[in-house]
Amino acid sequence: MFKSIRWRIILPYTLLILLSVAGVGFYLSNVLYQAQLQTLQDRLTDDALLIGDSLLTTLTNEESWQAINRSSADWAELIGARVTIIAADGTVLGESHEDYSQMENHLNRPEIQDALNRGLGSQIRYSQTVKYDMLYVAVPLRQNGNIIGFVRVSLPLDEVQARQAQSRTTVFVTMLVAASLGVLLSVFIAMRVTQPLQRLTQEARRMTQGEMLRHISYSRQDEVGQLTQAFNTLVEKLHSQIRVLQSEQGKLESILAQMTDGVVITDGKGRTILINMAAERMFNTRVETAIGNSIAQVLRHHQWIGLWERCRKTGQEQSDTLESPRRDIFIQGIALPLGDALPEHILMLFQDLTRIRRLETVRRDFVSNISHELRTPLASLKALVETLRSGALEDPPAAQRFLYHMETEVDALTHMVSELLELTRIESGQVPLKLKPVSPRKLLAKAKERLSVQAERNQLTVSLDCSKKLPCVLVDKPRLEQVLVNLLHNAIKFTPPGGSIILSARLQENVILFCVQDTGKGIPVEDFTRIFERFYKTDPARSSSGTGLGLAIARHLVEAHGGKIWVESVEERGSRFYFTIPVVKNS
């Protein structure tokens, strides 16, 4: 409670008001008491002087002094006070309320001494005679310049004290009302003063909680008003800066989100403070779990942890590569300190070079494969030419055989070059597709018909599994027949005698799923991702016939029709080649 500025204002003001009111009340009470006492004293003084004047005019001899006691009672009844007549030597000559003969000498009474020395004596004290507080007023009786006695008039102070108590009550009630009004006024003032401060405090707290600040209205031009205006100016500047920061942050987030390279930033203790989506995918984590965790928990590989350690110790850029044949990934990591911008912070950049490495492998294999495919017919042609030159031309039958073989090799080269050019044209989109609605069953039947002789020669059974009610597909008929012929040709080539091949098609959502299934020797799992590459063969020795371009052509033609192609196979149990083609809408 005492930490609040409101109470720091209210409590001092309340204490000041209460002390002031108490002091004023005490002062007024004393003033009123003294005023009443002075009034009573003046009254008694006047009564004493009046009694003294009356005594001086009526008492002329000693016998007259004997009647003083009787007149004392009369005077007391007349003025309503106690009257005592005292001789110059202090002897009591008359007393209105007591037996004067039993009273002791009064010369040493304070009021008598004051009257003797100063001409007037006044004293408040406890009376041993009547046993309560009395106000005494004494005046001297002078005759011919000599003091012949004293007149003392007194009253009990119970009436004065009662009046004083009544006055104090009145003053206390008045002061209490005034104090209450003062306290209420201090509370009101404190509320008025601290209300805008409280609003400023609430807005500042909202600001610390990340909420949007609001403009505070305050019309006065006092110090609080100036503070409010300064706060409003600060709010406007903060809003402007926040908008700028949000714009910059949005740009940074967009850049990081679109980057294909993984980005991780750590602090001096190795805790992750930033990670982008590429790094999340690369290390199979999420930003919610990565932020705040150590680099070891996020990257989870000793090579990257060692890379970070080397960069932290040397303060220089470090790089390393990670290749995992099991996961078929190749990643290059770079760690560099952020310098003065963010001391002790390290930026780690991860480049996934798996695709580039795979492309390099494909390119290398392509060069090797095409070289191998070309070397055999070229070597055969060279040998035949040399044989002819060495004398075979003189033997017409032998020369004809050699020319026949040369023609065969040239035809093989021509076929290979034609397929390669065809594949290149398909990949570059230079082959226009003439799309027409065609029944899936007709496509399968045409492919079966074209290769039926070859299947019979290899002692294979080719069956058709396709409903006539399937919707049509929008395709370039010769091109899609080429896909089916290539797949069926491979199935016939790699299925041993006595096997079977099934050509099927079925509706699956909005596409027709074609399938060429055989009972051949199958394909190893590691070759699934590369079997559709040009010149790729599952036989490392490349002893099988064919150019290795059929499946590559099939893949590009299917993708040109908006479909997908893939393979499922189990070694020694056969393979299934699938591809999808979208159906014709409203067919």
Side-chain angles (χ1 to χ4, degrees):
M1 181 178 70
F2 294 101
K3 295 181 179 180
S4 172
I5 190 172
R6 178 180 301 174
W7 287 104
R8 290 183 182 181
I9 294 175
I10 292 175
L11 290 179
Y13 269 97
T14 301
L15 183 61
L16 178 61
I17 291 171
L18 292 177
L19 291 176
S20 300
V21 168
V24 171
F26 181 76
Y27 172 76
L28 289 178
S29 177
N30 287 335
V31 167
L32 291 175
Y33 176 71
Q34 294 298 329
Q36 292 178 356
L37 197 60
Q38 186 64 42
T39 301
L40 183 60
Q41 181 178 340
D42 292 342
R43 171 197 157 191
L44 294 180
T45 300
D46 292 341
D47 291 341
L49 292 174
L50 180 62
I51 294 172
D53 291 343
S54 175
L55 289 175
L56 290 176
T57 57
T58 57
L59 299 178
T60 56
N61 53 50
E62 188 174 347
E63 291 182 359
S64 299
W65 287 97
Q66 300 299 325
I68 290 176
N69 187 53
R70 293 191 300 273
S71 60
S72 297
D74 296 336
W75 281 108
E77 185 178 356
L78 180 63
I79 65 176
R82 179 182 174 187
V83 178
T84 305
I85 309 299
I86 303 168
D89 59 357
T91 303
V92 178
L93 300 177
E95 169 59 40
S96 61
H97 288 69
E98 301 292 337
D99 184 4
Y100 75 95
S101 62
Q102 301 297 321
M103 299 177 66
E104 61 184 8
N105 191 285
H106 279 43
L107 183 62
N108 293 324
R109 294 291 192 271
E111 63 274 10
I112 300 301
Q113 288 294 316
D114 288 343
L116 179 63
N117 297 325
R118 295 188 292 110
L120 177 65
S122 178
Q123 185 71 32
I124 298 175
R125 57 184 175 81
Y126 183 77
S127 175
Q128 296 294 334
T129 304
V130 297
K131 306 301 183 184
Y132 48 77
D133 289 336
M134 298 286 291
L135 171 60
Y136 296 96
V137 175
V139 296
L141 292 176
R142 296 180 183 275
Q143 192 173 42
N144 298 325
N146 297 319
I147 296 177
I148 62 173
F150 301 93
V151 177
R152 190 183 71 176
V153 180
S154 61
L155 277 176
L157 289 181
D158 54 351
E159 181 180 353
V160 176
Q161 292 172 347
R163 290 181 180 179
Q164 183 186 18
Q166 184 178 3
S167 299
R168 285 180 177 176
T169 301
T170 303
V171 170
F172 175 76
V173 172
T174 304
M175 294 298 104
L176 181 61
V177 172
S180 300
L181 293 176
V183 170
L184 292 176
L185 181 61
S186 66
V187 172
F188 175 75
I189 293 174
M191 293 286 289
R192 291 278 292 179
V193 171
T194 60
Q195 185 176 9
L197 295 178
Q198 188 175 9
R199 291 182 60 188
L200 288 173
T201 303
Q202 292 175 351
E203 291 299 321
R205 287 177 178 172
R206 291 178 66 245
M207 179 176 65
T208 59
Q209 295 172 359
E211 299 183 20
M212 185 62 68
L213 301 182
R214 296 174 297 182
H215 187 276
I216 300 176
S217 59
Y218 189 79
S219 58
R220 298 185 180 182
Q221 299 300 319
D222 54 8
E223 288 80 357
V224 178
Q226 296 175 7
L227 177 61
T228 303
Q229 292 178 359
F231 183 83
N232 290 333
T233 304
L234 175 63
V235 168
E236 294 175 359
K237 291 184 178 180
L238 284 177
H239 284 172
S240 177
Q241 293 179 359
I242 288 173
R243 286 192 293 269
V244 173
L245 290 175
Q246 287 176 342
S247 176
E248 296 298 327
Q249 183 178 5
K251 294 177 183 178
L252 177 61
E253 290 178 352
S254 299
I255 293 172
L256 290 175
Q258 297 301 322
M259 287 181 64
T260 57
D261 296 339
V263 176
V264 177
I265 298 180
T266 64
D267 59 12
K269 296 182 179 179
R271 292 189 296 255
T272 304
I273 62 174
L274 186 144
I275 184 171
N276 69 343
M277 295 176 61
E280 291 181 51
R281 294 190 298 268
M282 200 174 295
F283 299 106
N284 193 24
T285 184
R286 298 184 62 184
V287 63
E288 294 82 2
T289 57
I291 298 299
N293 286 331
S294 66
I295 192 72
Q297 293 174 301
V298 177
L299 304 184
R300 292 175 293 192
H301 200 283
H302 66 90
Q303 279 189 242
W304 304 135
I305 300 172
L307 177 66
W308 181 85
E309 285 285 351
R310 292 197 305 273
C311 180
R312 183 181 64 85
K313 291 179 180 179
T314 62
Q316 297 178 352
E317 179 180 335
Q318 301 291 327
S319 64
D320 199 353
T321 56
L322 171 64
E323 185 171 8
S324 175
R326 182 176 59 85
R327 293 178 57 192
D328 190 23
I329 61 172
F330 182 77
I331 299 176
Q332 181 180 17
I334 301 174
L336 63 153
L338 295 179
D340 297 335
L342 289 173
E344 299 184 356
H345 287 62
I346 295 177
L347 169 65
M348 301 191 73
L349 183 66
F350 299 95
Q351 297 174 313
D352 189 353
L353 304 179
T354 304
R355 184 172 179 272
I356 297 176
R357 175 61 66 88
R358 188 178 297 119
L359 290 176
E360 290 179 353
T361 302
V362 170
R363 181 182 60 81
R364 185 174 58 251
D365 291 347
F366 172 72
V367 173
S368 175
N369 294 338
I370 195 171
S371 300
H372 185 84
E373 294 293 337
L374 292 174
R375 183 169 57 247
T376 300
L378 290 175
S380 178
L381 286 172
K382 183 176 177 61
L384 290 170
V385 170
E386 290 178 350
T387 302
L388 288 173
R389 282 182 177 178
S390 60
L393 286 174
E394 303 299 330
D395 185 359
Q400 289 293 328
R401 288 197 310 273
F402 290 152
L403 289 175
Y404 174 77
H405 288 304
M406 291 175 67
E407 184 180 10
T408 302
E409 295 297 339
V410 170
D411 289 340
L413 286 174
T414 303
H415 178 69
M416 182 188 304
V417 172
S418 298
E419 284 191 335
L420 188 58
L421 290 175
E422 179 75 6
L423 179 59
T424 303
R425 292 174 61 201
I426 294 172
E427 287 180 343
S428 60
Q430 296 180 2
V431 178
L433 298 178
K434 299 178 181 180
L435 303 179
K436 293 181 180 180
V438 181
S439 168
R441 184 178 178 84
K442 290 183 179 181
L443 292 171
L444 295 175
K446 186 64 175 178
K448 176 184 176 184
E449 179 184 352
R450 289 177 60 179
L451 296 178
S452 59
V453 175
Q454 184 177 350
E456 291 176 0
R457 187 168 57 244
N458 291 354
Q459 302 177 13
L460 299 176
T461 302
V462 179
S463 59
L464 192 63
D465 179 15
C466 180
S467 173
K468 295 181 180 180
K469 297 181 180 180
L470 287 177
C472 294
V473 290
L474 192 63
V475 298
D476 186 322
K477 184 178 179 182
R479 298 293 181 185
L480 202 62
E481 285 180 359
Q482 183 181 1
V483 173
L484 290 169
V485 168
N486 288 348
L487 295 178
L488 182 57
H489 181 269
N490 282 346
I492 293 173
K493 183 168 59 175
F494 293 105
T495 301
S500 62
I501 299 173
I502 301 175
L503 302 177
S504 63
R506 66 176 185 271
L507 179 64
Q508 188 179 71
E509 296 182 353
N510 296 323
V511 298
I512 297 296
L513 178 65
F514 292 88
C515 178
V516 178
Q517 178 181 353
D518 61 56
T519 57
K521 59 182 180 180
I523 302 171
V525 176
E526 58 270 16
D527 293 329
F528 283 3
T529 58
R530 301 195 59 191
I531 198 171
F532 295 100
E533 296 175 5
R534 63 181 71 183
F535 292 111
Y536 186 81
K537 293 184 178 181
T538 58
D539 181 10
R542 308 189 63 83
S543 58
S544 60
S545 62
T547 61
L549 296 174
L551 290 180
I553 294 174
R555 179 178 68 114
H556 286 288
L557 286 175
V558 169
E559 291 176 353
H561 282 83
K564 296 187 300 182
I565 187 170
W566 68 95
V567 64
E568 294 178 0
S569 180
V570 178
E571 291 188 76
E572 306 303 333
R573 295 178 59 182
S575 303
R576 294 181 181 180
F577 282 85
Y578 294 96
F579 67 91
T580 60
I581 300 295
V583 300
V584 178
K585 295 182 178 179
N586 301 324
S587 61

